[in-house]
Amino acid sequence: SMAWKGDAPRCNCYSTDLGLPASFFRAGCSDYTNSCFDRGHLCPSEDRDASDADNEATFRMSNVMPQAPRLNQVTWLALENSARELITQGNALYIVAGGYGSGGVGSTLSTTLTIAGGGITVPSRYWKVLVVLPEGDDDLQRVATDARLIAVDMPNTQTVDDLPWHAYRTSVDAIEARTGLDLLRLVPP
């Protein structure tokens, strides 16, 4: 919603997420250096600019995954821009995103399975699900069979931008089948 929007500047302050358990791999900014992949935000910086603290939170490396530059800078960005346009039209959006598989194609145009010495898997695909509701209260109860859902599943490649983001639309069920997740389990069937 517009509540997250403001004029805080993009901090570009990538940081290791020290809130992760010590037993977890804690990615650092340098893990992406010379990897041929962008540091792709799952929750975009521009979606959280109401305050400096909100924006900084998007730069924790636990919110970042390796994205092919053309995916990050063109196709994924176009989807993010479309989502921001929806909030300016009086909508609230609930968004969940991730990657699956192994083997993305970055700027070297060769398939890469991992970066950071095997610490970070390079997904072969990225997905995003957006639930779009008119601004209001009791959102969970207002998700009905006619609710607008946008689901996309995109290849993590340098040729992803051969098609516009909406060419990668799919169903929530298809994403759930591919990822093993139950994304909308709190929504009545």
Side-chain angles (χ1 to χ4, degrees):
S1 76
M2 290 301 290
W4 292 100
K5 293 297 297 155
D7 57 8
R10 179 183 171 97
C11 76
N12 282 321
C13 53
Y14 292 97
S15 64
T16 299
D17 189 342
L18 300 178
L20 292 172
S23 61
F24 281 38
F25 177 81
R26 293 177 176 176
C29 186
S30 63
D31 288 322
Y32 285 71
T33 303
N34 298 321
S35 72
C36 304
F37 291 91
D38 285 2
R39 296 170 190 91
H41 285 74
L42 290 180
C43 178
S45 165
E46 194 173 333
D47 283 6
R48 297 292 183 268
D49 55 8
S51 71
D52 290 339
D54 288 345
N55 192 259
E56 288 171 15
T58 70
F59 285 89
R60 288 195 191 109
M61 293 302 293
S62 55
N63 183 49
V64 170
M65 292 178 70
Q67 288 187 331
R70 301 301 295 169
L71 173 63
N72 184 44
Q73 298 168 31
V74 182
T75 314
W76 197 255
L77 176 63
L79 173 58
E80 292 169 343
N81 288 337
S82 293
R84 281 188 286 277
E85 179 64 26
L86 288 169
I87 68 169
T88 67
Q89 298 167 1
N91 295 298
L93 274 65
Y94 291 88
I95 303 172
V96 62
Y100 68 92
S102 178
V105 180
S107 59
T108 61
L109 303 182
S110 61
T111 300
T112 303
L113 302 178
T114 65
I115 59 172
I120 300 170
T121 297
V122 178
S124 57
R125 308 283 302 186
Y126 277 91
W127 59 268
K128 187 176 279 200
V129 172
L130 303 87
V131 178
V132 183
L133 296 173
E135 284 285 358
D137 297 318
D138 300 319
D139 287 353
L140 188 58
Q141 287 70 37
R142 294 187 308 119
V143 178
T145 56
D146 62 347
R148 183 169 183 195
L149 297 176
I150 301 169
V152 298
D153 186 342
M154 301 178 183
N156 189 20
T157 66
Q158 286 292 85
T159 57
V160 64
D161 62 326
D162 288 352
L163 299 171
W165 73 262
H166 50 81
Y168 296 103
R169 285 179 294 194
T170 188
S171 68
V172 174
D173 287 344
I175 292 172
E176 289 175 333
R178 291 177 188 130
T179 64
L181 299 171
D182 186 2
L183 298 171
L184 302 179
R185 69 181 172 278
L186 296 180
V187 176

